[in-house]
């Protein structure tokens, strides 16, 4: 599940990384993103994730033990929500945040924005419900989702879990830290 900016066509480098690891991928654009119709909102992104999961387990007949949910930034919140109510083999989150209210308060610290946001994406409140191995990537240099958000989310998650600190910005840490990133993914997928 991709982040808030862009669409699936902007994830080709990441898809290539996964392909080179021998991982089959299925990526979607949420409603209102890319060529998908509709208007984006929290409930809609969760419904889109549920539809993708239903497609894989229903029409494609993939067993849940072969599905790893992978989300970056906003997509990490979508992945956490999905993995909290369906069985999956594992969860990967990258440059995740705790909630939209936390993000808004960080951006506007003196305003009461925490109470004004409509979309909550409360990953911190949902992560304990994920009953699958977790791999979390986060860069200390992330200029969008604070490193502390990734640490708090990770701390609230169940075991087994692994936190990998990357270097680089919100959107390029997986490139800047490519060697470490790929090695951690390879180890995670091999261990499932």
């Amino acid at each position: 599940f991709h982040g808030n900016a862009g669409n699936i066509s902007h994830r080709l480098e990441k898809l290539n990384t996964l392909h080179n690891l021998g991982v089959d991928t299925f990526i979607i654009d949420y409603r209102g993103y890319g060529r998908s119709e509709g208007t984006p909102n929290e409930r809609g992104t969760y419904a889109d994730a549920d539809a993708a999961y239903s497609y894989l387990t229903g029409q494609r007949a993939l067993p849940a033990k072969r599905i790893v949910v992978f989300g970056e930034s906003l997509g990490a919140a979508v992945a956490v929500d999905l993995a909290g109510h369906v069985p999956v083999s594992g969860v990967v989150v990258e440059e995740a945040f705790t909630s939209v209210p936390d993000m808004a308060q960080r951006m506007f610290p003196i305003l009461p924005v925490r109470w004004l946001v409509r979309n909550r994406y409360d990953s911190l409140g949902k992560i304990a419900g994920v009953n699958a191995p977790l791999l979390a990537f986060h860069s200390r240099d992330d200029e969008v989702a604070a490193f502390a958000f990734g640490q708090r989310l990770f701390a609230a998650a169940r075991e087994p879990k692994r936190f990998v600190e990357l270097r680089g910005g919100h959107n390029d840490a997986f490139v800047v830290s490519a060697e470490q990133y790929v090695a951690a993914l390879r180890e995670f997928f091999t261990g499932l």
Side-chain angles (χ1 to χ4, degrees):
F1 300 114
H2 65 72
N4 188 42
N7 58 60
I8 61 175
S9 72
H10 300 129
R11 287 3 188 231
L12 296 179
E13 195 165 5
K14 190 159 293 175
L15 291 170
N16 189 53
T17 297
L18 294 169
H19 175 76
N20 290 338
L21 287 168
V23 176
D24 294 327
T25 58
F26 181 69
I27 185 170
I28 64 164
D29 269 331
Y30 317 112
R31 62 193 66 209
Y33 286 78
R35 294 185 176 175
S36 294
E37 296 178 357
T39 303
N41 61 55
E42 183 175 10
R43 188 176 341 159
T45 55
Y46 295 156
D48 295 339
D50 287 338
Y53 184 86
S54 293
Y55 170 75
L56 291 175
T57 57
Q59 288 181 266
R60 296 295 301 269
L62 287 174
K65 68 181 179 183
R66 291 202 48 220
I67 297 175
V68 173
V69 181
F70 190 133
E72 58 182 42
S73 191
L74 173 72
V78 176
V80 166
D81 179 79
L82 181 66
H85 67 271
V86 298
V88 296
S89 178
V91 179
V92 179
V93 295
E94 183 176 333
E95 308 303 329
F97 53 82
T98 50
S99 70
V100 169
D102 288 348
M103 288 278 288
Q105 198 64 61
R106 178 176 183 259
M107 293 171 70
F108 305 101
I110 60 171
L111 299 175
V113 293
R114 168 177 300 285
W115 310 112
L116 302 175
V117 294
R118 283 181 284 165
N119 295 314
R120 316 272 325 151
Y121 289 103
D122 183 16
S123 294
L124 188 59
K126 295 178 181 180
I127 192 76
V130 173
N131 191 21
L134 173 73
L135 174 60
F137 291 107
H138 213 104
S139 173
R140 205 172 278 279
D141 306 320
D142 189 327
E143 71 284 5
V144 177
F147 186 71
F149 291 162
Q151 290 178 308
R152 285 176 58 208
L153 193 62
F154 180 77
R158 294 181 186 184
E159 295 284 351
K161 59 185 178 178
R162 179 179 177 202
F163 189 91
V164 177
E165 183 176 337
L166 303 177
R167 296 178 337 280
H170 185 73
N171 293 311
D172 69 356
F174 79 99
V175 175
V176 173
S177 302
E179 189 174 317
Q180 183 181 13
Y181 182 81
V182 170
L185 283 173
R186 181 179 290 114
E187 183 180 326
F188 185 72
F189 290 134
T190 302
L192 296 177

